């Protein structure tokens, strides 16, 4: 039986296999959300399934060619570095606690206050669309899978170096945000007043002085860099750009929704919005007053 399954996997179409797996994961996320009444199931696998897809393409290629492809191996390592770091950041914020739910979903349930309509939204967007998107952003690895005979190119080097730079920026931004929030809540829990940079309630120093969401900017940029690897198959413009564009659009909508919540919570956030760039690093005049 095991040999039969392995042979089926080896000789199966790599794209069909990954699509079937994505549909299974989508169904599992939907089922768990209904059973647990917690709609953060996709959030918990967001940083995991993309590099799993990359490992699939790498291993499937090796099993059929009996050699490791440099480009695919590099893409898999980069996506794994991204995923493990993001998973750790999610873990330390309590994201993998089964009872934890992203604060945006309860807010959204207030807007879509009809249970039937929210379940339609859960099936179509939360469970299915987001999982489709997670597959789409990794499809440059499928194009790399299709052109294993093409040597390493300058585009691959640019993609690798740029990806690592933005990974470093995202890591720094997440750490700065973690340090700020940890200190702020330690002061609150100790009953001490919030003074200095903590009195506004949100981080606006470090990288956040030049961008309201430097981590989001770096996240989007990394997947644009990842797209460069697909140029080995079809240079400049090809179908795999769809995932990168959709991810970028998702961040636009998600950020607007998140900032709406933040603005209601912190009075000075509106001024921060007026004086500080949303994503791209630019000078700011915001000083916390």
């Amino acid at each position: 039986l095991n040999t039969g399954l392995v042979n089926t996997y080896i000789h199966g179409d790599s794209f069909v296999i990954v699509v079937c797996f994505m549909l299974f994961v989508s169904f599992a996320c939907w089922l768990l959300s209904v059973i647990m009444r917690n709609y953060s199931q996709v959030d918990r696998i967001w940083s995991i399934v993309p590099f799993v897809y990359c490992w699939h393409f790498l291993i499937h290629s090796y099993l059929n060619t009996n050699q490791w492809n440099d480009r695919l191996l590099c893409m898999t390592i980069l996506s794994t570095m991204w995923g493990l770091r993001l998973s750790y950041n999610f873990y330390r914020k309590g994201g993998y606690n089964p009872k934890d739910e992203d604060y945006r979903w309860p807010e959204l349930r207030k807007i879509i206050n009809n249970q039937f309509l929210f379940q339609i939204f859960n099936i179509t967007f939360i469970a299915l669309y987001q999982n489709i998107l997670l597959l789409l952003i990794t499809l440059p690895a499928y194009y790399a899978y299709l052109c294993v005979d093409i040597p390493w190119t300058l585009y691959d080097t640019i993609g690798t170096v740029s990806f690592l730079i933005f990974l470093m920026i995202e890591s720094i931004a997440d750490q700065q945000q973690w340090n700020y929030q940890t200190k702020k809540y330690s002061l609150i829990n100790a009953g001490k007043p919030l003074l200095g940079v903590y009195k506004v309630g949100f981080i606006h120093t470090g990288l956040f002085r030049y961008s309201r969401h430097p981590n989001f900017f770096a996240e989007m940029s990394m997947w644009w860099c990842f797209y460069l690897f697909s140029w080995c198959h079809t240079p400049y413009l090809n179908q795999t750009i769809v995932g990168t564009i959709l991810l970028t659009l998702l961040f636009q909508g998600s950020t607007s929704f998140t900032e709406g919540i933040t603005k209601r919570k912190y009075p000075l956030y509106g001024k921060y919005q007026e004086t500080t760039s949303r994503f791209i690093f630019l000078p700011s005049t915001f000083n916390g007053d």
Side-chain angles (χ1 to χ4, degrees):
L1 177 61
N2 290 337
T3 302
L5 288 174
V6 171
N7 287 333
T8 300
Y9 176 76
I10 293 173
H11 300 296
D13 185 292
S14 65
F15 183 76
V16 173
I17 292 171
V18 81
V19 168
C20 290
F21 181 73
M22 179 274 295
L23 291 173
F24 169 77
V25 172
S26 301
F27 174 76
C29 288
W30 169 76
L31 185 62
L32 285 171
S33 72
V34 173
I35 294 173
M36 301 176 67
R37 298 190 64 80
N38 183 312
Y39 300 95
S40 281
Q41 307 307 322
V42 178
D43 299 332
R44 294 188 175 95
I45 55 101
W46 184 278
S47 57
I48 298 172
V49 292
F51 71 78
V52 170
Y53 296 149
C54 290
W55 277 103
H56 156 68
F57 289 124
L58 176 67
I59 293 172
H60 198 271
S61 173
Y62 173 77
L63 293 175
N64 280 277
T65 64
N66 202 33
Q67 61 181 359
W68 297 106
N69 176 259
D70 292 343
R71 183 180 295 106
L72 262 178
L73 181 60
C74 178
M75 296 175 76
T76 303
I77 291 173
L78 289 175
S79 62
T80 303
M81 291 172 62
W82 163 84
L84 293 179
R85 192 214 65 82
L86 198 60
S87 296
Y88 169 70
N89 193 58
F90 191 64
Y91 159 77
R92 66 178 175 176
K93 292 190 292 186
Y96 291 112
N97 181 342
K99 296 181 180 180
D100 183 79
E101 185 178 41
D102 189 291
Y103 68 93
R104 289 169 295 188
W105 299 129
E107 289 291 328
L108 196 59
R109 286 200 293 273
K110 294 177 184 177
I111 299 172
I112 309 176
N113 58 8
N114 180 290
Q115 183 61 26
F116 175 76
L117 292 179
F118 188 81
Q119 285 304 324
I120 295 297
F121 178 78
N122 180 30
I123 295 170
T124 57
F125 178 81
I126 300 178
L128 184 59
Y129 176 78
Q130 290 192 111
N131 269 296
I132 292 174
L133 178 58
L134 290 174
L135 173 59
L136 290 176
I137 62 174
T138 59
L139 285 186
Y142 176 61
Y143 270 28
Y145 169 92
L146 295 176
C147 58
V148 291
D149 295 329
I150 297 178
W152 184 271
T153 69
L154 176 62
Y155 300 132
D156 299 318
T157 301
I158 294 173
T160 301
V161 174
S162 301
F163 189 100
L164 290 171
I165 290 172
F166 286 116
L167 179 62
M168 180 178 66
I169 292 173
E170 185 179 49
S171 302
I172 293 171
D174 280 345
Q175 187 60 45
Q176 289 178 345
Q177 191 168 48
W178 171 260
N179 292 342
Y180 181 91
Q181 294 288 52
T182 301
K183 179 64 176 178
K184 184 183 78 172
Y185 282 106
S186 70
L187 292 171
I188 293 173
N189 293 334
K192 296 180 179 179
L194 298 178
L195 303 173
V197 297
Y198 301 103
K199 65 181 179 180
V200 300
F202 55 88
I203 184 170
H204 56 280
T205 57
L207 296 179
F208 291 83
R209 175 164 178 75
Y210 308 99
S211 167
R212 303 200 302 272
H213 304 281
N215 42 357
F216 293 175
F217 174 68
E219 177 74 11
M220 289 183 286
S221 299
M222 271 188 282
W223 290 105
W224 280 102
C225 296
F226 202 75
Y227 167 69
L228 294 181
F229 288 101
S230 70
W231 288 7
C232 67
H233 182 273
T234 308
Y236 312 127
L237 189 63
N238 60 65
Q239 295 94 325
T240 66
I241 199 174
V242 172
T244 316
I245 291 174
L246 291 177
L247 180 70
T248 303
L249 292 175
L250 179 66
F251 267 102
Q252 309 309 310
S254 176
T255 301
S256 295
F257 185 65
T258 301
E259 287 198 328
I261 299 172
T262 306
K263 190 175 181 179
R264 292 194 298 270
K265 190 175 181 181
Y266 303 111
L268 284 176
Y269 197 81
K271 187 176 180 180
Y272 181 55
Q273 287 178 304
E274 295 172 1
T275 56
T276 308
S277 170
R278 192 183 208 189
F279 294 123
I280 299 172
F281 288 80
L282 294 171
S284 170
T285 58
F286 185 79
N287 57 13
D289 297 325

